[in-house]
Structure formats: C-alpha cells, structure tokens
Amino acid sequence: MAELHEIEVTAAGWRADKLIAEALPELSRSAVQNLIRDGHVTCDNKIVQKSTKLAPGSVLCVEIPEARPLDVKAENIPLDIVYEDDDLLVVNKPKGMVVHPAAGNYDGTLVNALLYHCGESLSGINGVIRPGIVHRIDKDTSGLLIVAKNDTAHRHLAEQIKAHSFTREYRAVVYGKIREDGTVDAPIARHPQDRKRMAVQNTPNARNAVTHYFVTKNFTGFTQLRLRLETGRTHQIRVHMAYIGHPVAGDPVYGPKKVITQLHGQCLHAGLIGFIHPRTGEYMEFEAPLPPYFTDFLKTLHAEDE
C-alpha cells in the first residue's frame, strides 16, 4: 500500500524538493526527485515540479508508492560484517567495491552481496526495495557503513544523520603539512561545468557542509588526519580538503594530475561509526582498523622520512 505524507508549508520561498528533503530525511535526494518526476507530489491537488515555489499555508502531499522489487541479482560475495542484529548491520566495505548498482556497475556491489546475505530482510524505503542503504561511501573509499533491515530502523538512522547525532569519523592521508587541528565550514554543490564533481560554492543550490580535522602525524609532504563529519555531502571530505589546499593522497578527481598509483584511489577510510540503536535506544560505536593499502602507504612515508 502506498504511504501518504502531508507537509504544511509554513514560510514563503520553499521549493518542493527541498521541503520534502527537510521533512522526510529518510528519502535520498534522487528518491525525492523521482517522486516529483513521476507525479507523486501534489499541492492543492495539482502536480508540482521540483522547482515549484510553494505558498505559505498550502499543504504538500507526497505519495510514496509501495516498494517494488529491485532488479538486481543476489551474489555470494563475502562481507566483513562488524555487527548484525534483527534491525541493522554494520559492514566494513573494501576499497574498490561500489555500494549500489548503477550504469557500468550492475554486479559485484555491496547491494548484490546484501541481497544474498539478508534475503528479504532489508528496508524498502524510497519506493523500491533497496537493501537499507542509509548512507554511502565512494567506491574507492574503504570502511564502515550501516545497513537498515527494516523501514523503522532506516527512518530512525536517517533522522540521526539529519540531526548530526550520527558519528562518522574517517582516517586519511593528505598532501602537504597541516600543523594544527581545524574545521572547514564551506557549502558544497554540483560543479557547474563537470557534473561528476562537486565543488565549494556560494549558490542557492549549495548545501552547508562542515568537516572537522585532527592532525595525527606529519610526514615529508603529507599529513595523516582523523576527520569527523558534521554533515554528509557527496565527496565532502575530498572536496573540503582540496579546497584548503590539502587534497587526499591518491585522489584522481580532486588531487594533482600526477596520481599516486599504488593507492588505487584516495587514501580515505571510514574508520569509526556511532549511532543510537533504533530499537534499544543504546548508543553503539564501532571501529575498523586501517586496511593494508593504507598501512602500506604509511610504511612508505615512514621509510622516506628515516
């Protein structure tokens, strides 16, 4: 059965897509756009577009269709499961694994593996049965992801992300020497020329983004950092570190043209995750050790400094 949400417009200037994203944080941006595109969002019985400006006092009606099967096959791919219960899993994703199937990556993804491991015990939020992907990390970023097994868990976790009570801490090696801890508070939006990249911008479509970083160790030409996300924008750490002149080592998109090939992508690891369990209310925190590609690179930097 379809799920119906009514959202009251309390102020002028709201766009339909942004109001829905604010009111229903469990829906991804693409899910919101798809709902609007497919005519599932109305205001005063009229179908709205994502850029429709809404009048104060009006009511936005959002219909979320019943979840439909995802046309992706289950694959017996080994998973490094750090924690699992009836509501969620915490998975340590390896570098090189795509989280969700998309053009060019229809198999071998985390979703393919989850379908095999969990079967039908996965959340169906976003109008399609997607294996509970509450948040993502890039293909060439390793580390911890939380996966919801039911819609209730998915909503609770999504609300924590929105409220910034969801702990996400990364480990990275960046170019250059950073001497002190700091914070990057700079809004991020899609790059105006290259749609595959993000960029720091002060435009109406930019979303606030805050990254805190802490110096772990300095090397010649590099710094090892611990980074904590206050927000979770696409490519946030990679964009922010490049913005302050210290791109992540090995980053082929935001780093220097001469890429460190031994890293096979950015030296970035989602090392710690913390959240309030949606059923028990208990705060839980998990940490994943640095993977071999990361520790091998640190050994190289140590050797060069000796």
Side-chain angles (χ1 to χ4, degrees):
M1 182 180 294
E3 191 176 322
L4 187 64
H5 296 269
E6 293 186 347
I7 306 169
E8 184 179 356
V9 182
T10 57
W14 274 106
R15 279 177 32 156
D17 57 343
K18 292 201 169 185
L19 180 58
I20 296 169
E22 182 76 15
L24 303 174
E26 67 270 19
L27 297 179
S28 66
R29 183 183 294 186
S30 62
V32 172
Q33 292 172 348
N34 290 339
L35 288 171
I36 294 173
R37 182 199 64 199
D38 295 339
H40 294 295
V41 180
T42 60
C43 187
D44 298 329
N45 296 318
K46 294 180 181 179
I47 293 175
V48 302
Q49 305 300 319
K50 68 177 182 179
S51 58
T52 298
K53 295 291 179 62
L54 306 170
S58 60
V59 177
L60 199 66
C61 293
V62 182
E63 181 188 42
I64 301 177
E66 187 175 1
R68 64 184 189 275
L70 181 67
D71 188 20
V72 176
K73 63 181 181 180
E75 295 182 63
N76 187 7
I77 301 170
L79 288 173
D80 181 3
I81 298 174
V82 177
Y83 174 82
E84 180 175 12
D85 61 25
D86 291 340
D87 296 297
L88 56 88
L89 302 91
V90 177
V91 179
N92 186 16
K93 185 190 82 69
K95 175 188 278 286
M97 175 181 269
V98 174
V99 172
H100 197 277
N105 292 286
Y106 290 109
D107 51 28
T109 72
L110 180 62
V111 163
N112 295 107
L114 287 168
L115 285 170
Y116 183 90
H117 178 79
C118 299
E120 297 181 358
S121 300
L122 293 162
S123 70
I125 279 176
N126 296 332
V128 67
I129 296 174
R130 303 172 57 168
I133 304 299
V134 182
H135 64 114
R136 303 187 189 188
I137 55 179
D138 300 330
K139 173 185 176 182
D140 290 326
T141 298
S142 57
L144 298 175
L145 277 169
I146 189 168
V147 177
K149 285 189 173 183
N150 53 64
D151 290 358
T152 300
H154 196 135
R155 290 191 181 93
H156 274 276
L157 294 164
E159 287 168 3
Q160 290 178 51
I161 291 175
K162 180 184 176 183
H164 310 313
S165 60
F166 191 95
T167 305
R168 283 170 291 176
E169 208 171 84
Y170 287 70
R171 315 293 184 244
V173 175
V174 301
Y175 289 93
K177 180 171 285 190
I178 300 178
R179 299 184 183 277
E180 298 180 346
D181 302 343
T183 296
V184 184
D185 185 347
I188 291 175
R190 188 72 57 183
H191 194 285
Q193 282 82 42
D194 187 347
R195 303 302 293 171
K196 293 182 179 180
R197 299 180 60 182
M198 307 300 288
V200 168
Q201 296 184 63
N202 288 302
T203 61
N205 290 330
R207 304 178 72 189
N208 72 299
V210 180
T211 304
H212 306 285
Y213 59 88
F214 310 91
V215 176
T216 302
K217 186 173 178 60
N218 287 124
F219 300 95
T220 301
F222 295 92
T223 301
Q224 183 182 355
L225 295 176
R226 180 171 57 86
L227 305 105
R228 180 165 289 214
L229 293 181
E230 192 169 308
T231 55
R233 309 307 177 205
T234 301
H235 297 177
Q236 179 173 315
I237 289 175
R238 299 165 65 190
V239 171
H240 271 173
M241 297 318 296
Y243 175 68
I244 64 171
H246 297 281
V248 178
D251 192 334
V253 178
Y254 302 101
K257 291 183 179 180
K258 188 176 180 181
V259 177
I260 303 172
T261 55
Q262 77 177 83
L263 286 169
H264 303 288
Q266 58 272 6
C267 192
L268 185 61
H269 177 64
L272 184 146
I273 195 167
F275 54 90
I276 298 170
H277 194 283
R279 186 180 300 272
T280 67
E282 175 191 1
Y283 180 76
M284 307 182 76
E285 194 169 272
F286 301 93
E287 190 166 2
L290 293 176
Y293 80 87
F294 201 121
T295 55
D296 288 346
F297 186 55
L298 291 178
K299 289 176 185 176
T300 299
L301 297 178
H302 276 291
E304 290 176 353
D305 280 356
E306 288 179 352

